[in-house]
Amino acid sequence: MKMNETYNRVTNESGYGKKVLSILPWNKVKVPEDKNIPHGDMPGDKIEIEDGHITKAEIIFPKLVEMIAKAADSNEYGRCVIAVCGGSGVGKSEIASLLSFYLNAAGIGSYTLSGDNYPHRIPKYNDAERLRIFREAGIRGMADEGCMNAENFAIVQKWQQEEDDANEAHVSEYGWFKSYLDAGKKALAGYLGTPNETDYDEVSTIIKAFKDGADTLTLRRMGRDESALWYENVDFSDKKVLIIEWTHGNSDYIKGVDIPVLLNSTPAETLAHRRSRARDGKVDSAFTTLVLNIEQRELHSQAHKAKIIISKDAELITFEQYSQLMDGQF
């Protein structure tokens, strides 16, 4: 018996959209002063809800309710799946938690699932795999372009040891280094956000079972080390909405999401936010910046599928407005 493929079902509940719509017009729910509300299921994850997150969630919520009602009416169990996606630091965890909080307060059972539980490797091994792929491809790229010799290798090796080998500024002094960067970027882009990095099939199986009325789901838990990986049975008998908070929540590799919600941020806004939140004044390494830029390109390529897009300035925008905002950003 495979998990999440055999299960008992909840009672059919056709026409559930009517109950969902009864939330509207929505009387805003006050978030507790300590902002301590249930959040995603990533072990050890901490959320820091700020006023800006609340503002965005309050703007998104009424429009989201209308869409949930339509999705619920099309599912015999009255269920709906939402994905809250966006770049690093944009507030996915916080806003997903708030939306779930508002739904539960209105009597619509909701659960927040963290997509970060589903990579094939724990964080430290995945970070190492990303770096290995980049560097191995970079070295091969130099060889392919005829740029590999003892002198050039010594320079690259020094940058690798200093964790500065993804720094594009080096190309202005050493033109041959472009062969390393271009090959490394291409290989890294072929890994990030793909099934090579993440078990999308497992997430899709969870979504399928949820929408098929499963009363209990077996969900993955991933910590930070080798011994912190386990599964937990979660009661979904009273849940109507599954919210997935995840950078890759709008990926083509996931099946069954009804409402992708994109929290938009331009690359410049993302960089400024990360710098403002950096501890001890430290900024991202060149490699981390490269990873984030590739992820933002992926988000951009998937944005046309989003049903709701909210800007960094907390405005609901159309895809056309989004396209204008992001024009020239990549």
Side-chain angles (χ1 to χ4, degrees):
M1 181 179 70
K2 293 185 177 180
M3 61 182 176
N4 299 321
E5 292 187 5
T6 304
Y7 40 78
N8 295 318
R9 291 179 174 83
V10 298
T11 305
N12 286 25
E13 195 155 6
S14 59
Y16 193 77
K18 184 176 181 180
K19 179 176 179 179
V20 176
L21 283 177
S22 69
I23 298 173
L24 303 177
W26 180 52
N27 294 318
K28 293 180 181 179
V29 178
K30 185 173 176 58
V31 177
E33 288 294 331
D34 63 3
K35 297 183 173 62
N36 185 20
I37 62 174
H39 54 81
D41 56 9
M42 182 74 178
D45 197 21
K46 295 181 180 179
I47 63 171
E48 298 180 6
I49 294 176
E50 301 172 357
D51 290 344
H53 298 133
I54 295 174
T55 297
K56 286 185 178 180
E58 289 180 344
I59 291 171
I60 292 169
F61 190 70
K63 185 175 182 64
L64 186 64
V65 166
E66 295 177 356
M67 294 183 177
I68 292 173
K70 290 181 180 179
D73 277 341
S74 67
N75 178 269
E76 60 182 311
Y77 301 99
R79 289 180 161 181
C80 172
V81 177
I82 299 164
V84 177
C85 58
S88 174
V90 78
K92 296 182 293 295
S93 299
E94 290 79 5
I95 291 173
S97 299
L98 286 164
L99 296 174
S100 193
F101 172 72
Y102 296 150
L103 285 167
N104 282 312
I108 309 297
S110 177
Y111 182 88
T112 307
L113 181 148
S114 174
D116 287 339
N117 279 312
Y118 295 90
H120 293 299
R121 301 166 181 83
I122 61 172
K124 69 176 181 180
Y125 292 154
N126 195 45
D127 290 344
E129 180 66 3
R130 290 173 170 183
L131 190 59
R132 182 198 69 79
I133 288 170
F134 171 75
R135 287 180 169 174
E136 183 176 290
I139 292 296
R140 287 178 62 92
M142 287 178 62
D144 286 342
E145 294 296 320
C147 300
M148 177 58 69
N149 56 48
E151 181 182 356
N152 290 352
F153 172 65
I155 293 172
V156 170
Q157 188 176 48
K158 177 176 179 292
W159 289 336
Q160 289 177 340
Q161 291 166 348
E162 295 171 348
E163 298 185 359
D164 196 40
D165 56 311
N167 190 342
E168 296 197 24
H170 294 316
V171 176
S172 62
E173 184 175 1
Y174 301 95
W176 55 262
F177 185 61
K178 189 173 184 297
S179 64
Y180 178 93
L181 276 181
D182 286 351
K185 287 180 189 177
K186 183 178 180 180
L188 188 58
Y191 175 75
L192 295 174
T194 73
N196 294 322
E197 182 177 41
T198 297
D199 195 343
Y200 289 105
D201 287 344
E202 185 165 2
V203 178
S204 295
T205 298
I206 290 168
I207 293 172
K208 183 174 184 288
F210 173 73
K211 295 176 78 170
D212 192 38
D215 65 353
T216 301
L217 291 172
T218 304
L219 302 181
R220 196 174 198 234
R221 305 287 185 250
M222 175 177 279
R224 306 295 299 182
D225 61 62
E226 299 91 327
S227 64
L229 174 63
W230 73 101
Y231 282 84
E232 182 178 348
N233 292 327
V234 180
D235 182 6
F236 272 79
S237 59
D238 64 344
K239 307 301 182 189
K240 293 297 184 183
V241 178
L242 175 63
I243 299 181
I244 303 172
E245 57 96 0
W246 198 11
T247 298
H248 307 299
N250 198 20
S251 171
D252 290 337
Y253 296 114
I254 302 176
K255 308 302 179 186
V257 172
D258 297 300
I259 310 170
V261 178
L262 174 61
L263 311 179
N264 189 47
S265 177
T266 66
E269 289 169 339
T270 298
L271 179 60
H273 176 81
R274 289 182 67 86
R275 284 177 172 169
S276 70
R277 296 288 295 271
R279 295 179 180 179
D280 304 322
K282 295 180 180 178
V283 297
D284 290 327
S285 69
F287 184 72
T288 299
T289 299
L290 174 59
V291 168
L292 294 174
N293 285 341
I294 291 173
E295 288 183 341
Q296 285 217 283
R297 286 179 181 275
E298 290 176 354
L299 285 164
H300 182 59
S301 70
Q302 299 155 0
H304 65 281
K305 297 183 295 179
K307 299 289 182 66
I308 295 176
I309 305 177
I310 190 164
S311 72
K312 187 75 172 176
D313 296 328
E315 295 181 356
L316 291 177
I317 57 176
T318 64
F319 177 69
E320 288 71 24
Q321 291 171 319
Y322 160 86
S323 299
Q324 293 174 2
L325 187 65
M326 299 299 283
D327 186 41
Q329 293 290 329
F330 298 101

